[in-house]
Amino acid sequence: QVQLVESGGGSVQAGGSLRLSCATSVYTRSSYCMGWFRQAPGKEREGVARIRVGGSYTVYADSVKGRFTISQDNAKKTVYLQMNSLKAEDTAGYYCAIGTWCVGSGPGDFDYWGQGTQVTVSS
């Protein structure tokens, strides 16, 4: 019954910005973890950022620190990923995911996934 819908992807030039959104369906858990992952063709899915919904704990991959910011709107059950200073290597499909805890950064630590939204950065 858990659903996630991503939006906000698109094509942008290097140095530009995008904001991704992930809206959830009704969720029975009072607190949980929401994360953003990305995957380019032929590559492994990697964690970008995660946030403890119902708390304030956030974690970022080293490759995006200082450029990306994850945030939440509890009333809307939505998380955002603000992406600034985008680089060509940021090009990938971006996926939102939900997990029970917020300790691990691997895809196996998350239980439900959205369909993804494409981000393309041109240099």
Side-chain angles (χ1 to χ4, degrees):
Q1 72 276 17
V2 177
Q3 294 180 304
L4 302 91
V5 180
E6 302 101 329
S7 62
S11 181
V12 65
Q13 294 186 23
S17 299
L18 286 172
R19 189 178 76 161
L20 306 183
S21 299
C22 177
T24 70
S25 63
V26 176
Y27 200 65
T28 60
R29 300 174 185 175
S30 59
S31 64
Y32 47 93
C33 187
M34 296 190 71
W36 284 100
F37 291 77
R38 65 186 181 187
Q39 186 171 25
K43 298 180 65 177
E44 297 290 329
R45 186 169 296 187
E46 62 176 347
V48 176
R50 64 184 188 268
I51 185 169
R52 180 70 173 179
V53 178
S56 59
Y57 182 64
T58 59
V59 181
Y60 297 91
D62 289 340
S63 60
V64 305
K65 286 182 178 178
R67 299 189 297 120
F68 291 9
T69 302
I70 188 170
S71 61
Q72 64 180 312
D73 185 326
N74 291 332
K76 297 180 179 179
K77 297 191 293 292
T78 301
V79 295
Y80 305 93
L81 185 67
Q82 179 66 48
M83 305 185 296
N84 298 326
S85 301
L86 284 163
K87 305 174 181 179
E89 51 262 43
D90 294 319
T91 297
Y94 282 72
Y95 299 84
C96 182
I98 292 179
T100 302
W101 311 109
C102 226
V103 177
S105 61
D109 297 307
F110 292 79
D111 305 310
Y112 303 97
W113 297 83
Q115 296 298 309
T117 184
Q118 179 67 35
V119 172
T120 301
V121 184
S122 300
S123 180

